[in-house]
C-alpha cells in the first residue's frame, strides 16, 4: 500500500479494534484476536494473513471471525477456530 515503507514502526501506536484476548507476532507480521474472536493482521503479508492476498498492510486488517488462537511461523501461519478446526 502507498506509504507502507514510510510508516514509523519505532513509535508505539494504539491498535484500536480491541479489547483483545490474544496477540502474536513473527518477523514483520502481527496478529490480534479480539475478545469476540475477530482476527486482525498487519505488517508483511506474503499470503500469510488468510485474506486471499499477498498485500502488505500498515494498519490492522480484519481477516475473519470465530478464532481461538493464532500461531505464526516464518513461512506460514496456523490458526485454531472456535469450532476446533485448524486453518493453515
Amino acid at each position: 500500500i502507498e506509504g507502507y515503507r514510510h510508516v514509523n514502526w519505532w513509535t508505539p501506536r494504539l491498535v484500536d479494534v480491541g479489547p483483545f484476548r490474544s496477540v502474536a507476532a513473527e518477523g514483520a507480521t502481527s496478529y490480534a484476536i479480539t475478545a469476540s474472536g475477530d482476527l486482525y493482521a498487519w505488517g508483511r503479508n506474503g499470503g500469510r494473513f488468510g485474506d486471499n492476498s499477498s498485500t502488505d498492510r500498515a494498519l490492522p486488517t480484519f481477516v475473519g471471525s470465530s478464532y481461538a488462537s493464532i500461531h505464526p511461523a516464518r513461512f506460514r501461519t496456523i490458526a485454531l477456530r472456535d469450532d476446533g478446526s485448524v486453518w493453515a
Side-chain angles (χ1 to χ4, degrees), residues 25-83:
E26 193 286 317
T29 306
S30 301
Y31 301 89
I33 299 175
T34 66
S36 63
D38 292 343
L39 173 62
Y40 287 83
W42 64 100
R44 292 203 183 257
N45 185 348
R48 292 183 296 248
F49 290 177
D51 66 349
N52 295 317
S53 81
S54 59
T55 303
D56 295 340
R57 311 286 182 171
L59 300 172
T61 301
F62 177 77
V63 176
S65 297
S66 302
Y67 283 87
S69 63
I70 187 96
H71 304 279
R74 186 171 179 190
F75 297 111
R76 70 185 52 85
T77 299
I78 298 173
L80 176 67
R81 303 287 299 265
D82 288 338
D83 65 3

